[in-house]
Amino acid sequence: MPNSRSYSFDAIARELGSDKSSQVHGYCGAYAKILSGLKRPPQVVMEICDRLRTPTLWRRWFENITVVYLVSESQKDDLTLETDSKIKIEYGDCGSIEFLVKMATKYSPDLIVDDGLHIPKDQIIGFMILFQSLVSGGIYIVEDMHTNVPPLSQQYIPDGHESFLGFVVRILGYLSHGQNNNLFDSQQLVCIPSKFVESVTFYDKLCAITRSGYLTMALVDARSTSAKFTEVNNGGSYSRIEPLIYNAPQSVLDAIDGEEQRGEIAPPPAFVAEFDDAFVRGPGYITIGNAIISDCLINLMGSSNLRDCFDIQYNLNNELIASIEFNSAKQVLNGEFVLLKQNADVNYGHWLIEGLTRMQLLEGYDISSLQFILNGDASESLKQIYVDGLALLGVRKEQILFLGSEIVQAKKLIYPSPITIQPWVKAPICMPFLRKFTEFDETKYGDAPKLIYVTRASIGRRNLTNEAEIIETVQNYGFIVIKPESLCFYDQIKIFSKAEIVIGNLGGGLSNIVFCPDGLTLLALTTQYMLDDFFWDIVSQKNGKYLSLHGRAVEPSLGMQSDFMVDHDEFVGIFAKIMAGRTPASCP
C-alpha cells in the first residue's frame, strides 16, 4: 500500500515539514495503523486544510493516488504548486453546505482528513456531508481532537455549541444500543443514519470513523437502464364522475375536492423493461449496480415498507437519496423471470387491480416460456387466487416463484410497469382487461345476481356493528348477501359478473365490482376515517354512480380499522333514492 521507498510516513512528513510528523503532533504512527484497516489501497484522499503547507505529502507515501485538497478561498493567491495532475485543489468555504455538497457529489474518497480550522460546527457539518461520499469501508479522520477539551475548548467551542467530541459520543451511544437514529434531525435537511458508521476509534488526538458496508444508491428510471424498453398504450387520460358522499368529515371532503380540481387524470406510462443481472429486494424493488429503478417505487414513496428496505433521506437539493445494506443475493435466477410482486399484493383488491392487470402489458411474449415472481408473504388463500387468476391467462402453477423478503438476482428480469398510483389513479386499460375475465368458460354464470350486498363480518376488523338491520332492509328488495373471502376466485367473478347495484363495507372484497357491467351503482359504507379514493376511481372508469355513507367509529384510536356503525334512517333514505322505481315485489 505505501510507496516502496525506505522512508516511513513520519520520515516523509519530517522532510516536508508537515505538522503531522513526530516533530509536531506525532500523527504519522497513528495514520499507519489507521490506514492498515482500509479494505483496498486508497485511490482518492481528500483533506480539509486551513492552510496547504505540504501538498505532496500523500503523493509521496502512496503510489498512483489522487489527492483532493479543500482549501479556503482566501489562500488562493498564496499557493504555488508544481504541476501534478494527481493533486487537485478545490477552493471554497469549508463551512459552506453548498460547497461541501458539491465536493461530496464530485469525489468518492477512500480517506477524508479534516485538518481545518477545528470549529465544531464546521467539523460536524463537514462530516455529515462528506462522510456520505466515502466508499464502503472508507475512513474519516478528524485531527486535533484536543481542541475539544480544556483548556483549548474554551477557545474553539462557543458556549452552548456541541463539540465534535460530543457529537462522536452520540454516535457511540447509538452504536452501543444498536439504534438506527439519524444524527441530525429532519429540520437540518442533511442527515445520515447512524448505522452507516461501522466503528469509531481514537488515537491520541485523532478520531477515525469508518463507513459501514452500505451503498448510496442513485434513483434512475427504467428507460435509461434497461437492456430493452417497450412502450405500451396506457389508455390515456380520463375524467371522474361526480360522487355523492354523505356524513363524511371535512378532511375526506377536502381530499375529494382536491382530486376534483385536477380535472383530467393522467395515469403513469405503461411499458415493459428488460434488465440483465438485476436484483429484486423486499416487496419488489429492483436494483442494478448502485442504482434503484425509480419506476418500481411509484406506489411506495413515504411508505414504511420502503423505509424497511432502504434508508431514505433528502439532500440539500430536495432530491431523494436511498441507501441500502450491501447483501449478496441468496439465490440466482436463471431463465426469464417476470416481476409481478408489488408492495400491496397481500391485499386481494390491490393484487387484482394493481398486480394482475400488468399481465396485459406482456402481449407478444411467449407466456409459457416465462417464470413469474409473486409475493411470498401473501396468505395461502391469496396465493391460490394468484394461481387461479394467472391460470386463466395461460400461466401454470410450476411457472410461479413465491418470493419473500430475501434478495435474489435475476439474470434476465422482465418488468411490466405499474399502471396504477395508489390509491387514486388507475390506467383506463385496467377495467376492460378485468371485465374480460367474465368471458372464460370457468367464470361464465347465467344466473348471476343483479343486486349484491357485500359483508366483512368474517374479516375481524372494520365491521359494521349495525349490519343486521342494514341487511334486513336490502334483503327485502332481493339483495344477495356475499362473503367474497369464502369464495374461490372463479366464483367471485361469476357472482359479480351481472351485478347492477352493489352495496357494502369498503374493503378488498368490494374490489370485485371490476367484474360488474359498466354503469353499475355502488353504495359504499365506511368509517369517518376512510377516504373514498380507491373505489370512486373504479366506478368512475366504469361510468357508474358512486355513493358513500360514512359512519361513526366505535374505537376512534384504531382509525380506519375500527368497527363502526351508520345511521340506519339515513341509510334508508339514500337506499330509497337508489331503488327508486323498484318495489320489493318487483325486484328479481
Side-chain angles (χ1 to χ4, degrees):
M1 182 186 296
N3 194 297
S4 59
R5 291 175 179 230
S6 59
Y7 284 131
S8 68
F9 189 34
D10 185 59
I12 297 170
R14 281 187 279 112
E15 177 188 326
L16 296 175
S18 169
D19 64 359
K20 295 181 184 356
S21 75
S22 56
Q23 294 175 335
V24 187
H25 292 307
Y27 292 154
C28 291
Y31 269 109
K33 293 179 182 178
I34 293 168
L35 298 184
S36 66
L38 284 174
K39 296 180 180 179
R40 70 176 192 185
Q43 298 174 22
V44 179
V45 174
M46 177 182 287
E47 182 165 356
I48 302 171
C49 310
D50 63 331
R51 290 181 180 275
L52 182 53
R53 299 181 180 90
T54 54
T56 59
L57 175 65
W58 296 106
R59 290 279 291 136
R60 287 279 300 277
W61 198 34
F62 292 105
E63 296 176 345
N64 301 318
I65 67 164
T66 296
V67 185
V68 181
Y69 291 102
L70 309 187
V71 182
S72 171
E73 194 79 37
S74 63
Q75 306 297 314
K76 192 169 187 178
D77 297 331
D78 296 341
L79 285 174
T80 56
L81 187 64
E82 293 181 8
T83 302
D84 186 338
S85 62
K86 292 284 190 175
I87 297 177
K88 302 181 183 297
I89 301 178
E90 300 280 2
Y91 295 101
D93 178 1
C94 293
S96 162
I97 292 177
E98 182 179 359
F99 175 68
L100 293 170
V101 168
K102 182 179 178 181
M103 295 300 100
T105 55
K106 187 173 181 179
Y107 299 102
S108 299
D110 302 87
L111 174 68
I112 298 176
V113 177
D114 185 345
D115 186 21
L117 292 173
H118 315 310
I119 299 172
K121 175 177 173 292
D122 292 351
Q123 289 175 322
I124 293 172
I125 291 176
F127 172 82
M128 295 303 299
I129 297 172
L130 296 177
F131 186 76
Q132 299 181 75
S133 69
L134 281 171
V135 299
S136 174
I139 300 174
Y140 194 103
I141 294 175
V142 177
E143 294 187 355
D144 302 329
M145 290 294 291
H146 57 295
T147 60
N148 284 243
V149 295
L152 291 178
S153 59
Q154 298 174 5
Q155 175 185 343
Y156 285 93
I157 304 173
D159 291 341
H161 286 240
E162 183 178 31
S163 67
F164 190 79
L165 179 60
F167 173 75
V168 172
V169 169
R170 278 205 287 139
I171 297 177
L172 290 170
Y174 296 147
L175 292 176
S176 64
H177 291 92
Q179 296 172 329
N180 180 31
N181 299 57
N182 282 339
L183 300 176
F184 268 18
D185 78 28
S186 59
Q187 298 304 312
Q188 298 290 336
L189 296 180
V190 181
C191 63
I192 182 169
S194 61
K195 68 180 181 181
F196 273 33
V197 177
E198 181 177 287
S199 64
V200 178
T201 309
F202 290 94
Y203 297 85
D204 190 12
K205 294 176 286 186
L206 295 182
C207 176
I209 305 171
T210 304
R211 196 185 196 284
S212 63
Y214 280 68
L215 297 176
T216 298
M217 312 290 287
L219 290 173
V220 299
D221 60 48
R223 181 187 292 272
S224 64
T225 53
S226 57
K228 181 180 178 182
F229 186 90
T230 306
E231 293 182 344
V232 181
N233 180 16
N234 66 1
S237 59
Y238 64 96
S239 300
R240 295 195 182 105
I241 59 172
E242 183 77 22
L244 295 175
I245 299 175
Y246 299 88
N247 275 2
Q250 192 60 46
S251 59
V252 171
L253 297 176
D254 288 345
I256 293 293
D257 183 63
E259 284 297 307
E260 289 182 317
Q261 298 301 318
R262 291 175 59 182
E264 288 285 302
I265 308 301
F271 61 83
V272 179
E274 297 184 13
F275 302 103
D276 296 327
D277 290 317
F279 289 81
V280 177
R281 303 171 184 268
Y285 316 127
I286 304 170
T287 63
I288 298 177
N290 284 6
I292 304 170
I293 305 304
S294 58
D295 305 88
C296 66
L297 305 181
I298 67 171
N299 288 317
L300 303 168
M301 305 309 280
S303 145
S304 61
N305 298 79
L306 181 62
R307 293 180 183 275
D308 287 345
C309 195
F310 300 104
D311 289 304
I312 298 300
Q313 53 193 289
Y314 288 86
N315 68 13
L316 292 162
N317 296 319
N318 205 33
E319 297 167 329
L320 186 69
I321 299 172
S323 299
I324 186 168
E325 188 172 8
F326 182 76
N327 289 327
S328 58
K330 291 182 171 59
Q331 184 179 0
V332 176
L333 306 179
N334 294 304
E336 295 184 320
F337 280 79
V338 176
L339 179 61
L340 290 180
K341 179 182 180 182
Q342 289 191 137
N343 181 57
D345 288 345
V346 292
N347 174 283
Y348 170 76
H350 291 301
W351 154 250
L352 187 66
I353 295 164
E354 299 163 12
L356 184 59
T357 56
R358 293 164 57 211
M359 284 291 296
Q360 65 188 300
L361 305 185
L362 298 174
E363 185 177 356
Y365 282 84
D366 179 7
I367 296 298
S368 65
S369 68
L370 304 176
Q371 293 177 279
F372 295 82
I373 300 174
L374 298 178
N375 200 326
D377 294 328
S379 65
E380 291 305 312
S381 60
L382 188 52
K383 286 180 181 177
Q384 187 59 51
I385 286 173
Y386 293 170
V387 171
D388 291 342
L390 291 173
L392 295 176
L393 302 175
V395 178
R396 305 180 307 278
K397 186 174 182 179
E398 56 267 27
Q399 290 177 257
I400 296 173
L401 170 65
F402 288 108
L403 185 65
S405 59
E406 63 269 26
I407 302 169
V408 297
Q409 180 182 6
K411 304 303 288 183
K412 172 70 76 174
L413 185 70
I414 300 171
Y415 184 59
S417 68
I419 50 178
T420 63
I421 300 177
Q422 246 276 27
W424 291 102
V425 179
K426 303 161 193 69
I429 58 175
C430 293
M431 297 307 135
F433 175 77
L434 291 170
R435 174 63 181 166
K436 288 181 180 178
F437 275 68
T438 64
E439 300 173 3
F440 291 101
D441 290 339
E442 296 91 336
T443 59
K444 288 180 180 178
Y445 189 45
D447 297 324
K450 294 184 179 181
L451 306 174
I452 292 177
Y453 180 88
V454 179
T455 178
R456 285 175 56 90
S458 62
I459 298 296
R461 57 185 172 82
R462 207 162 67 238
N463 289 318
L464 180 59
T465 57
N466 61 330
E467 188 171 57
E469 59 182 347
I470 300 297
I471 289 178
E472 182 180 359
T473 299
V474 301
Q475 282 183 326
N476 286 335
Y477 280 77
F479 276 75
I480 304 298
V481 179
I482 301 298
K483 295 180 180 179
E485 65 276 5
S486 67
L487 303 172
C488 74
F489 183 54
Y490 298 162
D491 285 344
Q492 292 184 65
I493 297 173
K494 292 175 183 177
I495 291 294
F496 283 83
S497 63
K498 296 187 178 180
E500 297 175 357
I501 302 175
V502 178
I503 299 173
N505 191 337
L506 284 185
L510 206 59
S511 301
N512 285 303
I513 61 172
V514 298
F515 303 121
C516 297
D518 284 357
L520 88 148
T521 295
L522 174 65
L523 171 54
L525 310 177
T526 188
T527 78
Q528 73 264 41
Y529 297 110
M530 197 162 183
L531 290 174
D532 294 88
D533 42 22
F534 191 76
F535 292 94
W536 172 38
D537 192 74
I538 294 174
V539 175
S540 293
Q541 295 202 31
K542 295 185 74 66
N543 298 311
K545 296 178 181 178
Y546 181 85
L547 307 90
S548 72
L549 174 60
H550 288 254
R552 186 175 68 253
V554 173
E555 182 51 67
S557 64
L558 296 177
M560 63 177 282
Q561 300 303 342
S562 171
D563 292 346
F564 67 101
M565 66 179 298
V566 297
D567 185 288
H568 181 253
D569 290 338
E570 188 160 14
F571 172 81
V572 169
I574 299 169
F575 181 67
K577 294 177 182 178
I578 292 174
M579 304 302 292
R582 299 177 185 251
T583 64
S586 66
C587 287

